[in-house]
Amino acid sequence: MPSTAVAGTEFKRFIRGKTPWAIVLAMLLMNQYAPTFTPAQRQLLGEALAFTGIQVVVAITVPFAALALGVRAIIGDRETGTARVLLGTELTRSEFVIAKTVGRGAAISVPVVGFVCVVVGSNALQSGRFSLPILLIVLLASVVYAFAWTGVIVGISAASSSTTRAALLSCIVFLFGGLLWSSLTRPMVWTLATGSPPDSQAVQSALFADLGWGSLPNSYFGVTNWAFGWASRPEPITNVVSEVTLANKPSVPTALQSWVGLVVGVAWPGAFLALGCARFKRRPVSPGTQVGYIRALWQRRPTLPSRSNRAPGEFVGQSGVSDMLPGSWQPVARREFQRLLRGPGVWVLGIAVFTWSVLTRSQPSLAVDYFGSTLPLAVAQRPIMSVGLVGVLFGSFRAVTVERETGRIRVAAGTAVSRSELLAGTVAGRTAAFVIPIVLAVLGVCVSSVPSTGVVPLHTLAPYLLLIVAYVGCLTCIGVGISTLVRRQAVGAVLTTGIIGIQLSWYSVSNLIYRGITGVTVSGFSPPADPVYVLLRWLPPINVFSVATNAVLGAPNSAGNAIGILSELQRSSYSQDVIVAQAFGSTVPEWFLHPSITVALFAIWCGVVGGLAVLVFQRRPLD
C-alpha cells in the first residue's frame, strides 16, 4: 500500500540520521539529574525503584523529539512540493497524514525504548530489584506516549498553512497543554472558573487534582504509577513517594484507575489528527495559494490614503533621525519595521496583551489599595511577560533563515551593509515593530482604567515603557540570534520552543541547576537564604523584566509578577515566587540582589547572544 511505503520511508530516513542519537544523548544528560531517595523511600518503592528515574526524562524529551520531527511533517512537504507528487498516486490525504505519524512516531520510539532498557538495566544491577511485568508496561506506555505526541504535532502541521504557524501552535500546545499544565494551565483554568487563584485549601481538593489528568505528560505519569503499584496520580512517582511513609502507604490501585490516563493519551492525538486531516482535505496542496483567516481579515481593513510622495518601501527619508546615527544598518531596520507593521502578526500581539490585561483588571481589594493608580501597569505585567515572550521569539526565529533560503539576503549583502550591520538592522527594526503595538496596548489599558483607578503617574509610566523596550529588544536579539545560528526552520522552531519552555518553567530548572552547583535539593516553597539561588531565579529575560518592573511599581523585590507577590505575602497562594524580603529580611544582603542589576542582565543577554550570532554569521555562507 502507498501509505505503508510512506511510513517505511519516513522511519528509515530518520532512524538512519542524527535524530535517534540526539534523543538518546538528551535523555542520558537529563538522567544525570535523577532523584535520590532515602532508605525508607527505597523500601517503599520496592521493585519500582529501577524505573523511577525514567518518568520525567521520557515525559519531557519525547515532546521535543516530536516537535523536531513533526512540525514540518506535512507543511514542509506542501511548501517544497513533495506533497503534490505523493498525493498524485493512490494515496489519500488522510492516509498521507497517518503514514507520516506512524513513520515518525516509530522513529522516536526506537531511541526511547533503547534508553528505557539501558537505564532500567543499569538501575536494576545497582539496586538488585527488577520486575519484567513493570518493564513491559512502562515500555508500552512510553511507545504510546511517543506516538501520541507525534500525532498531536503532525496534526498541527497538517492543519497549518505555514511553518511559522505550525511551530507557534505546536509550541503553545506543548507548553500550555503539556509541560506547564500543572504549574500554569491548571491554576489558570481554576482562576477563570472560580474567579480567584488557587489557595492552599484548593490545591488539596479533589477537583483541583482531577484537573491534572488533562495533559499527556500527566496521563503518562498516572499510567506508569499504576504499573509501579502506587495510587494512579497524575504526577511523578517522586512526588507521590515523598508524601507517604511506611505506616500510611496507599493500597495497590485497581487497573480501572489507569484507564483515565489511557483515554487522555488517545484523545489528544485523535482530536488533533482528525482536525488536521479535515483541514488538510479542504486546503490546496500548495500553501502559498491560500490566505489565512487573520491575513484575509487584515487585508479588508480600512486604510487611509497616503499623503506622502515617498516610495512604498520607505518609512523615513535619508534625513531621518536614524540615518544620523553611525553605520549603514538603517535601510535594513526600515525594511524590517515596515514589513512587520504591514502584517497582522504584531497587531495580534498587541491585541492579546490589551485583552488579557482588561480581562484581569478586576483584582482583590488588597491589590487595588496597594497599587492605586498604577494598577493598570501591574495587571499588564503578566501579559507582556508571557505573550511578549512567545510572540516576539516566534516572530523572529525565521528572520535570517528565510532570507537565506529565499536568496533575498544577497540583495542586502551586495550593498554597503556589512553582515554585523545586517543583524543589527534586523534587530532594531523588529524591536521597534514589536514595541509599538505593546506600548499602545499598555496605554490603552491605562486610559480605559482612568475612571476607576485614576491617571497613571508619568514618573512610573515612563520607566515602565522603557523597560518594555529593553525586554522586547532582548527577546528580539535572542530570536534573531537563533535564526542566525541554525540552518533549518524546524531546528529553529524546536530551539525556540525549548527556550520558551525553559523560561516559563524556570522555577524547576533553577532548582536543578542549584542542586547541580551546590548538591543541595531545594524547592521554591522553601527557598534557601542564598543570594546565588535568588540570582538564578533572575537570570531569564522574562524574570529580569519582572524584577525591574516590580521595582518601578513599588512591589516587593522578586522575580514573580507584582500581583502574585501580594498573594504570596499572605502565605495562602499556590506559588513558588521567592521574595528577597522573606528570604533575607528587610535588608538586601548582597549588591547583586538590587533590582538595578537587571539593566546589566539585559545587556549581558544581548551581548552574548548577539556576539555569538555575529561571529557565526560572518563565517557562514549566505546560502
Side-chain angles (χ1 to χ4, degrees):
M1 295 178 61
S3 58
T4 305
V6 172
T9 302
E10 292 291 305
F11 173 76
K12 294 176 182 178
R13 180 157 63 99
F14 288 105
I15 204 65
R16 294 172 180 173
K18 303 175 183 177
T19 303
W21 299 102
I23 296 174
V24 171
L25 179 60
M27 287 183 164
L28 292 176
L29 290 176
M30 289 189 61
N31 191 59
Q32 300 301 315
Y33 292 94
T36 57
F37 301 100
T38 63
Q41 292 174 338
R42 295 170 66 90
Q43 184 178 353
L44 278 170
L45 289 169
E47 294 179 342
L49 181 62
F51 301 86
T52 54
I54 66 172
Q55 266 190 321
V56 175
V57 176
V58 173
I60 295 178
T61 309
V62 165
F64 279 107
L67 277 168
L69 295 187
V71 72
R72 299 191 77 236
I74 307 299
I75 189 61
D77 286 347
R78 293 175 63 195
E79 291 176 340
T80 58
T82 308
R84 183 177 296 276
V85 177
L86 294 175
L87 294 175
T89 63
E90 298 178 358
L91 190 68
T92 65
R93 297 197 180 191
S94 297
E95 292 175 343
F96 181 64
V97 175
I98 298 301
K100 289 278 188 176
T101 304
V102 173
R104 302 193 181 209
I108 297 175
S109 301
V110 171
V112 171
V113 170
F115 165 78
V116 172
C117 293
V118 170
V119 173
V120 170
S122 176
N123 294 341
L125 292 176
Q126 296 178 6
S127 63
R129 301 174 183 178
F130 176 75
S131 172
L132 182 59
I134 295 179
L135 175 62
L136 295 178
I137 296 176
V138 170
L139 288 176
L140 180 60
S142 300
V143 171
V144 172
Y145 183 67
F147 275 95
W149 269 113
T150 306
V152 169
I153 304 302
V154 173
I156 294 175
S157 181
S160 303
S161 57
S162 68
T163 299
T164 303
R165 292 185 179 90
L168 179 59
L169 292 175
S170 299
C171 171
I172 293 174
V173 171
F174 165 59
L175 294 177
F176 296 98
L179 184 63
L180 304 176
W181 181 272
S182 296
S183 61
L184 185 60
T185 306
R186 180 169 57 166
M188 187 182 301
V189 171
W190 182 275
T191 302
L192 293 176
T194 62
S196 60
D199 53 20
S200 57
Q201 183 177 2
V203 171
Q204 298 174 0
S205 65
L207 180 58
F208 189 82
D210 291 340
L211 289 175
W213 282 98
S215 71
L216 284 175
N218 287 357
S219 65
Y220 175 74
F221 291 144
V223 172
T224 50
N225 287 343
W226 166 79
F228 298 155
W230 283 73
S232 188
R233 289 169 52 180
E235 54 185 305
I237 189 64
T238 53
N239 296 354
V240 179
V241 75
S242 63
E243 300 175 4
V244 301
T245 62
L246 287 171
N248 65 350
K249 179 180 178 181
S251 59
V252 177
T254 62
L256 183 61
Q257 291 175 292
S258 65
W259 285 101
V260 179
L262 292 177
V263 170
V264 173
V266 173
W268 274 82
F272 278 93
L273 285 174
L275 176 63
C277 290
R279 291 179 65 87
F280 187 30
K281 289 178 181 179
R282 297 195 301 267
R283 293 180 174 226
V285 178
S286 300
T289 60
Q290 180 185 10
V291 179
Y293 297 123
I294 296 178
R295 187 165 294 276
L297 181 63
W298 178 259
Q299 292 176 351
R300 296 190 182 98
R301 76 191 189 281
T303 56
L304 297 176
S306 177
R307 298 182 180 180
S308 175
N309 295 325
R310 293 171 182 161
E314 195 175 40
F315 178 70
V316 294
Q318 296 300 318
S319 59
V321 176
S322 62
D323 294 285
M324 299 179 184
L325 299 176
S328 304
W329 52 270
Q330 294 87 349
V332 178
R334 201 156 36 237
R335 180 198 64 184
E336 295 295 318
F337 179 82
Q338 293 185 12
R339 180 183 297 173
L340 290 183
L341 279 189
R342 289 172 178 170
V346 294
W347 299 107
V348 170
L349 180 64
I351 293 172
V353 172
F354 177 80
T355 304
W356 188 347
S357 302
V358 170
L359 292 178
T360 57
R361 187 165 47 188
S362 178
Q363 294 294 330
S365 58
L366 174 66
V368 176
D369 296 338
Y370 188 92
F371 293 107
S373 59
T374 61
L375 181 64
L377 300 181
V379 298
Q381 185 190 42
R382 187 67 176 270
I384 294 172
M385 292 164 54
S386 303
V387 177
L389 175 69
V390 177
V392 174
L393 286 182
F394 269 99
S396 304
F397 85 98
R398 299 173 67 237
V400 179
T401 307
V402 171
E403 295 290 313
R404 295 176 62 197
E405 291 181 352
T406 58
R408 292 197 302 260
I409 197 170
R410 288 193 171 275
V411 178
T415 64
V417 181
S418 65
R419 295 198 182 188
S420 58
E421 290 175 334
L422 177 63
L423 294 182
T426 302
V427 171
R430 287 179 171 265
T431 298
F434 283 119
V435 163
I436 288 179
I438 296 178
V439 168
L440 291 178
V442 173
L443 294 178
V445 175
C446 294
V447 171
S448 62
S449 303
V450 169
S452 57
T453 61
V455 179
V456 178
L458 182 61
H459 67 272
T460 302
L461 179 62
Y464 190 92
L465 297 181
L466 289 176
L467 288 174
I468 292 177
V469 176
Y471 177 56
V472 173
C474 181
L475 293 179
T476 306
C477 184
I478 294 175
V480 174
I482 293 173
S483 182
T484 306
L485 297 175
V486 301
R487 296 179 181 272
R488 294 187 300 164
Q489 296 183 36
V491 178
V494 175
L495 184 58
T496 303
T497 303
I499 292 176
I500 294 174
I502 289 174
Q503 292 194 58
L504 292 178
S505 59
W506 186 251
Y507 287 161
S508 301
V509 175
S510 61
N511 292 338
L512 292 177
I513 295 176
Y514 185 80
R515 194 184 95 180
I517 295 174
T518 63
V520 179
T521 302
V522 296
S523 169
F525 294 105
S526 55
D530 186 354
V532 175
Y533 181 73
V534 178
L535 185 61
L536 277 175
R537 290 296 184 100
W538 288 13
L539 284 182
I542 187 174
N543 287 359
V544 175
F545 176 77
S546 181
V547 174
T549 49
N550 285 343
V552 172
L553 296 171
N557 188 359
S558 172
N561 67 87
I563 295 178
I565 294 173
L566 297 182
S567 301
E568 176 69 11
L569 289 174
Q570 294 181 326
R571 295 185 177 275
S572 62
S573 178
Y574 180 69
S575 173
Q576 295 192 68
D577 295 332
V578 177
I579 303 173
V580 174
Q582 285 186 342
F584 303 99
S586 58
T587 60
V588 178
E590 299 287 349
W591 66 269
F592 54 74
L593 291 184
H594 194 273
S596 60
I597 196 63
T598 54
V599 178
L601 290 177
F602 275 135
I604 290 173
W605 274 106
C606 294
V608 172
V609 176
L612 181 61
V614 170
L615 183 65
V616 173
F617 192 47
Q618 289 179 341
R619 290 165 170 77
R620 179 173 291 177
L622 290 177
D623 295 332

